[in-house]
Amino acid sequence: MTTARLPLFPLNAVLFPGLVLPLNVFEERYRAMMRELLKSDEDEPRRFVVVAIRDGREIAPTATGMPDTVAAAPPPERAPAEGFGPDPIQTFHRVGCVADAATVRERADGSFEVLATGTTRVRLLSVEASGPYLTAEVEELADEPLGEDEGDEAGALAEGVLRAFRAYQKRLAGASERSLATGADLPDDPSVISYLVAAATVLDVPTKQRLLQAPDTATRLREELTLLRKETAVIRHLPSLPATDLTRAPTHPN
């Protein structure tokens, strides 16, 4: 299988194919990555790999979701692998997603505002830390092909997942049925549905990672159906509903 070496951007989040990822890039090692991406021709994709950091591993103090300790101070320079242990590949989940940075805007302070879209699942083969930022050798990880019967099952599962997802949205947000997305607003491709629901459901990183790593669309949809029914039942018995802001994707600081 064809392999490629691409810049590596570790996050405390999982990126899925087809989903948009906003990034606020302020650490120097990731600024260097963005400066390098900007050197490519405008008609060439600006690709990097987003990979989720495993739970329980050492991470840099300014990883996703953790603000700088002194907001007014310039971000400290860190070695490419700093915070990721002596063997960085052991710190990351082995399956990630290639991101295509459609928008990379440099601010006056040298930080970057980035808007990227997930494209392809990949498996990490090795991680290199000799340059200004991490790079990884990756191979594309395509879904296992489905037979005719399995394809029909995936279609039926997708319909069930969409129904369960609407019920989950209603319980989570406390919204009325007419305020939810209708069938016309949602995709009809089972694979696209599987990634959309995985990204939009409020789940922890290990669970989202498990969905990303599912070998095929039918397996992913089947697990999502179980998860949605379980989560909806839990929310139904909560004394209060979670904040609706939890259903919105935040900008990820590096």
Side-chain angles (χ1 to χ4, degrees):
M1 183 174 290
T2 303
T3 63
R5 181 161 291 279
L6 295 172
L8 185 65
F9 206 126
L11 288 175
N12 286 322
V14 178
L15 177 63
F16 293 92
L19 276 297
V20 174
L21 175 70
L23 288 169
N24 175 27
V25 179
F26 57 85
E27 277 195 56
E28 176 54 33
R29 50 184 167 180
Y30 303 118
R31 291 187 190 192
M33 180 190 300
M34 295 305 150
R35 289 194 294 267
E36 188 64 28
L37 290 176
L38 284 174
K39 293 179 182 178
S40 61
D41 294 336
E42 290 186 4
D43 57 347
E44 292 292 325
R46 295 166 177 163
R47 300 191 303 159
F48 58 95
V49 176
V50 171
V51 64
I53 302 167
R54 289 182 184 275
D55 285 354
R57 296 287 184 173
E58 180 186 3
I59 59 174
T62 53
T64 298
M66 300 178 68
D68 278 338
T69 54
V70 182
E77 290 193 19
R78 292 185 169 89
E82 184 176 345
F84 300 128
D87 187 8
I89 196 170
Q90 302 301 326
T91 306
F92 309 136
H93 287 283
R94 296 299 179 92
V95 175
C97 185
V98 174
D100 183 1
T103 303
V104 182
R105 295 195 181 97
E106 186 171 6
R107 302 189 183 99
D109 63 359
S111 64
F112 288 88
E113 179 182 344
V114 179
L115 193 63
T117 303
T119 60
T120 308
R121 293 191 309 160
V122 290
R123 188 188 308 278
L124 269 63
L125 302 178
S126 65
V127 174
E128 177 63 48
S130 60
Y133 49 83
L134 293 175
T135 62
E137 183 181 11
V138 298
E139 64 178 4
E140 182 176 347
L141 185 62
D143 276 8
E144 294 179 5
L146 298 176
E148 184 176 347
D149 291 343
E150 293 170 317
D152 292 341
E153 180 191 12
L157 282 168
E159 292 179 3
V161 165
L162 285 180
R163 287 194 298 270
F165 182 63
R166 291 192 188 95
Y168 165 82
Q169 282 184 310
K170 184 177 181 180
R171 288 287 179 181
L172 185 64
S176 61
E177 186 68 34
R178 61 178 174 274
S179 71
L180 302 178
T182 64
D185 299 321
L186 294 169
D188 55 10
D189 181 275
S191 178
V192 175
I193 290 171
S194 74
Y195 288 131
L196 175 63
V197 169
T201 306
V202 181
L203 301 167
D204 59 19
V205 169
T207 303
K208 285 182 178 280
Q209 182 67 33
R210 191 167 68 246
L211 293 174
L212 179 69
Q213 294 179 187
D216 55 62
T217 298
T219 300
R220 188 175 302 110
L221 289 167
R222 196 177 297 114
E223 183 161 356
E224 286 170 352
L225 190 57
T226 300
L227 285 167
L228 287 167
R229 287 171 174 169
K230 177 181 177 181
E231 293 296 314
T232 303
V234 168
I235 294 170
R236 185 181 300 121
H237 292 91
L238 289 175
S240 62
L241 290 173
T244 57
D245 285 347
L246 291 176
T247 63
R248 302 187 184 117
T251 298
H252 292 284
N254 65 273

